């Protein structure tokens, strides 16, 4: 029996229509003339349509084939794939699940189901499907890789590392897998293991500049943690990366910012202090270097980040802010806050609203329908440029919020 939400045509209607379909398509006519059973011929024809990029037509053909053989797990899988390609992900998931109910040992179908769930943001469901795949085939390198990738999306970097190590042990050690191992170890603060993994990725794909750069960055971290003088570690980094001139200066400052954050985050306090001291020597005029030096060295007189540091940090982040916060981190606070405001606001009134720390204006479009006037205040000129481009605010003020209030 087919799932309730998946429509299958009447079997007799399929039989009565097959002559008309064959007359209109020589490919189907040839398949039928080869002596295949009708459902099998339709199944192959549906696959040909899929190969030709005609997913909606393939959906119709697979449904017709299933009307004749509703217990065929492969046809349910193919219908699911066709529905997914036709943009009907919900129905596709139902078909894949039904295929697995008919034949649970299909490792490849568990992987397809996991991938579909992962794309739609159902990470728990994706993990369950990938886990089912590797339970049925412990030697599936792809299954372990998929399980590792979904675990890293869940923020479980050590769990992701374990899965990718299992993938490598089963012959899945491509350059991309080794680089992912490097990244997940890096995010877990295991810099020596990250360095080794990135080195392996570079050995397999030496033309990839990202792999090479991350190998050198993790090597720099390891050198500093092991006690090498920061100046000497930087000199080695420049030589290995072939850096010279202004590009070298920019790259080194970015390296030290990143290294400082990672070292401090994972308890390498002494190494972090040595890095920030070297940064201050290279950039004595940097507000960020001065502030972070005092913060890392636990200056008791430091009560808040200075305005100059905040401006420097958020100006640098302005162009990527929306993509990182909304796209990557799924930041939903503006929508939630405005939902609360709409609940308590008088629908007949408009208000004079202050968007405090407006940044790039994420709240602006949500607040505009409630506002008589809408004012945004932020310290970062670059952030305010992005907010101004929206055309949402009546007034935008560059300054400290406390001073403005």
């Amino acid at each position: 029996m087919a799932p309730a939400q998946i429509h299958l045509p009447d079997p007799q209607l399929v039989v009565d229509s097959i002559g008309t379909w064959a007359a209109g398509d020589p490919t189907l006519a040839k398949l039928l003339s080869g002596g295949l059973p009708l459902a099998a011929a339709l199944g192959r024809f549906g696959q040909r349509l899929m190969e030709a990029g005609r997913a909606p037509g393939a959906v119709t053909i697979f449904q017709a084939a299933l009307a004749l053989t509703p217990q065929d797990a492969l046809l349910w899988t193919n219908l699911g794939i066709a529905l997914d390609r036709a943009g009907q992900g919900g129905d596709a998931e139902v078909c894949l699940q039904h295929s697995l109910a008919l034949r649970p040992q299909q490792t490849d179908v568990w992987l397809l189901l996991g991938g579909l769930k992962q794309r739609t943001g159902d990470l728990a469901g994706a993990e369950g499907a990938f886990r089912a795949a590797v339970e049925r085939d412990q030697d599936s390198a792809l299954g372990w890789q998929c399980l590792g990738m979904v675990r890293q999306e869940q923020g479980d970097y050590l769990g992701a590392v374990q899965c990718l190590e299992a993938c490598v042990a089963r012959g899945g050690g491509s350059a991309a897998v080794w680089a992912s191992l490097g990244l997940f170890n890096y995010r877990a603060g295991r810099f020596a293991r990250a360095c080794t993994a990135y080195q392996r990725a570079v050995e397999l794909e030496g033309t990839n500049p990202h792999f090479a750069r991350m190998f050198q960055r993790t090597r720099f971290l390891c050198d500093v943690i092991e006690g090498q003088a920061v100046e000497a570690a930087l000199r080695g980094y420049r030589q290995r990366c072939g850096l010279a001139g202004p590009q070298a200066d920019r790259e080194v400052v970015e390296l030290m910012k990143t290294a400082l954050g990672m070292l401090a985050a994972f308890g390498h306090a002494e190494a972090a202090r040595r890095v920030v001291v070297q940064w201050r020597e290279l950039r004595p005029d940097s507000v960020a270097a001065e502030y972070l030096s005092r913060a890392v060295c636990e200056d008791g007189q430091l009560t808040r980040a200075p305005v100059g540091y905040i401006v420097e940090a958020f100006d640098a982040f302005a162009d990527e802010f929306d993509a990182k916060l909304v796209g990557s981190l799924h930041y939903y606070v503006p929508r939630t806050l405005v939902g609360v405001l709409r609940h308590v606001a008088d629908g007949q009134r408009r208000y004079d609203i202050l968007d405090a720390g407006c940044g790039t204006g994420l709240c602006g479009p949500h607040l505009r329908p409630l506002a008589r006037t809408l004012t945004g205040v932020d310290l970062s000129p670059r952030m305010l440029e992005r907010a101004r481009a929206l055309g949402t605010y009546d007034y935008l003020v560059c300054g400290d919020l406390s001073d403005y209030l």
Side-chain angles (χ1 to χ4, degrees), residues 18-41:
I18 199 67
T20 303
W21 294 350
D25 195 300
T27 300
L28 177 58
K30 185 176 180 180
L31 288 168
L32 290 169
S33 66
L36 287 173
L38 181 52

Side-chain angles (χ1 to χ4, degrees), residues 2-8 59 63 66 75-99 113 116 119-120:
Q5 55 268 62
I6 303 299
H7 171 72
L8 298 181
V59 168
Q63 287 173 329
L66 280 164
L75 280 174
W76 280 108
T77 297
N78 287 338
L79 176 57
I81 295 171
L83 285 165
D84 185 32
R85 293 184 184 178
Q88 301 177 56
D91 288 344
E93 185 174 326
V94 171
C95 290
L96 295 179
Q97 288 172 333
H98 191 63
S99 175
L113 180 62
L116 181 58
R119 292 201 310 274
T120 58

Side-chain angles (χ1 to χ4, degrees), residues 99-107 110 132 136:
S99 175
L100 289 165
L102 292 169
R103 192 146 52 98
Q105 293 306 117
Q106 300 176 91
T107 302
W110 283 112
R136 285 159 176 79

Side-chain angles (χ1 to χ4, degrees), residues 122-161:
D122 180 6
L123 297 184
E127 181 186 4
F130 292 141
R131 188 183 298 280
V134 297
E135 285 172 353
R136 285 159 176 79
D137 182 3
Q138 287 285 322
D139 292 326
S140 171
L142 179 58
W144 285 109
Q145 180 181 351
C146 291
L147 185 57
M149 299 309 289
V150 80
R151 279 188 170 171
Q152 72 86 22
E153 281 195 59
Q154 295 169 320
D156 179 10
Y157 297 119
L158 291 179
V161 165

Side-chain angles (χ1 to χ4, degrees), residues 1 23 56 83 113 161 207 218 228 253 277 287 295 327 334:
M1 182 179 293
L83 285 165
L113 180 62
V161 165
T207 58
T218 51
Q228 186 175 132
V253 169
V277 166
V287 176

Side-chain angles (χ1 to χ4, degrees), residues 192-270:
R193 291 180 180 230
C195 184
T196 299
Y198 275 120
Q199 182 178 14
R200 184 68 180 125
V202 170
E203 291 169 355
L204 292 170
E205 192 177 322
T207 58
N208 189 304
H210 175 70
F211 296 172
R213 185 56 49 87
M214 286 303 297
F215 169 49
Q216 297 302 340
R217 289 194 169 200
T218 51
R219 182 171 173 181
F220 171 80
L221 286 170
C222 292
D223 288 344
V224 175
I225 290 170
E226 291 168 4
Q228 186 175 132
V230 177
E231 185 177 7
L234 284 174
R235 187 165 54 249
Y237 179 82
R238 286 192 185 97
Q239 291 171 350
R240 293 191 300 269
C241 294
L243 298 175
Q247 177 196 359
D249 293 339
R250 288 192 297 271
E251 173 71 21
V252 164
V253 169
E254 183 60 34
L255 171 67
M256 286 194 290
K257 283 182 181 179
T258 304
L260 175 61
M262 296 302 288
L263 291 169
F266 289 100
H268 300 287
E270 190 274 334

